[in-house]
Every structure is written in C-alpha cells, then in structure tokens.
Amino acid sequence: NIANHLARAGRAHGERPAIALGGAVLLNYGQLAERAARIAGALQNTFGLETGDRVGLAMKNCPEFLETLYGCWYAGLVAVPINAKLHKSEFEYILKNSEARLCFTTSDLTETIVSLQNGVLERVIEVGSGDFDGLFNTDPVSCANCAPQDPAWLFYTSGTTGRPKGAVLSHRNLL
C-alpha cells in the first residue's frame, strides 16, 4: 500500500513539515498521517466503503487534496482524481463510469457534484465543511493490506478524440 510511505514518514519524521500553503506550514508528517488514517476510518466505518471501491476527488488545488488522497489509500480504496475544469456532463460521465461511491469536492464544485448525486453517488463531502471536519472525529485505522498490483489510482484521459478512458495505476506503478 503506497500509503505506508506516509505512515512511515509520520513515525520517523513526524515533526517535519509536510503540507504548506505559501510560507505557512499547515501540517507536519505526523499530523498528515493521523488525518489520513482518520479519513480512512470514516470511509470504512461510517460510509461502509470496502477495499477496491472508488472515491472521486473533484477539487481545485488545495491542501485537503493530499489528506483525502492518502485517506483513500490508507483504506485500500481507489482514488479517482477529476480535473476541476471539466464540464458537468464530463464529471457525470467519469463518476458513473468509474462507479465512484463517494466524492470529495471543493466549495466551487460542490453544487455541480451534488446535482449529480442522485443515481450516481452515495455521498458528496465538501472539504472544509462541517461534514469534512467531522471525519477527524473517527478513530484512525492502519493501512489496508494491498498487493502491489492492486489499483490505487483511476485517472481519466482528456477524451479529445471521444469519451475519456480510465487508466488504472497500481500501488506498484505509483511507487
């Protein structure tokens, strides 16, 4: 599981800066590992996601992207990052095609993604919202056991010559 690298960094270099916004350090490696493990706990225990389930990440660049990405990997889930500049119909196609059960969004995309929720997603969580903050009240979990060939990332091509195609990257590919 690629998330084991973050777990190790959290133990070995816990006080070192991990995420910064401009010159401000937001999280050190210990905090990032803890938050990812708590997100994973919520994804598994609150939302019932199981190893191999897909989670959409429809976000502009933000520090929470890394927390949610690693939270997915901690839980043994497949992250489906989606370009924030896409049109609503493209979001819908990717979320349906990937069979994402849940999607994290930034505030600028929440309305669009929520409008797709019925029939596509079980849950939409806006980063920075009370729902998102509530994830950190969940007990942390250990990294799920994953084989090197297990999928970790499902990325969609631009679709310039037709519908976007999903490209799966395994834990080994990312390593």
Side-chain angles (χ1 to χ4, degrees):
N1 185 331
I2 190 110
N4 280 311
H5 289 286
L6 176 59
R8 278 194 297 274
R11 289 188 303 271
H13 308 290
E15 296 305 315
R16 291 193 182 166
I19 296 180
L21 186 59
V25 174
L26 301 179
L27 296 173
N28 61 40
Y29 279 103
Q31 292 167 323
L32 178 57
E34 175 78 12
R35 288 174 69 89
R38 288 183 183 276
I39 289 172
L43 292 172
Q44 291 175 338
N45 300 320
T46 303
F47 302 112
L49 299 183
E50 298 176 356
T51 301
D53 281 343
R54 281 82 190 271
V55 175
L57 304 174
M59 298 188 224
K60 289 204 171 175
N61 290 341
C62 63
E64 294 86 359
F65 181 87
L66 289 172
E67 293 177 306
T68 57
L69 177 64
Y70 274 100
C72 290
W73 291 340
Y74 255 81
L77 305 174
V78 180
V80 183
I82 305 169
N83 185 332
K85 295 179 181 180
L86 295 179
H87 184 271
K88 180 179 176 178
S89 63
E90 294 166 310
F91 283 120
E92 183 176 31
Y93 174 79
I94 291 170
L95 290 167
K96 277 185 179 178
N97 187 264
S98 70
E99 299 178 349
R101 292 185 52 197
L102 182 144
C103 187
F104 287 97
T105 70
T106 45
S107 60
D108 56 313
L109 297 172
T110 300
E111 186 177 322
T112 298
I113 301 302
V114 166
S115 73
L116 303 172
Q117 188 171 358
N118 291 337
V120 178
L121 296 165
E122 295 172 21
R123 182 75 181 225
V124 176
I125 299 174
E126 180 181 315
V127 298
S129 70
D131 286 344
F132 182 74
D133 293 340
L135 300 177
F136 303 107
N137 296 326
T138 307
D139 289 333
V141 296
S142 298
C143 283
N145 290 322
C146 296
Q149 68 274 12
D150 286 346
W153 180 284
L154 176 54
F155 189 78
Y156 280 78
T157 63
S158 63
T160 54
T161 60
R163 288 278 193 195
K165 310 281 187 300
V168 176
L169 296 178
S170 68
H171 289 270
R172 178 185 291 133
N173 292 141
L174 292 173
L175 182 62

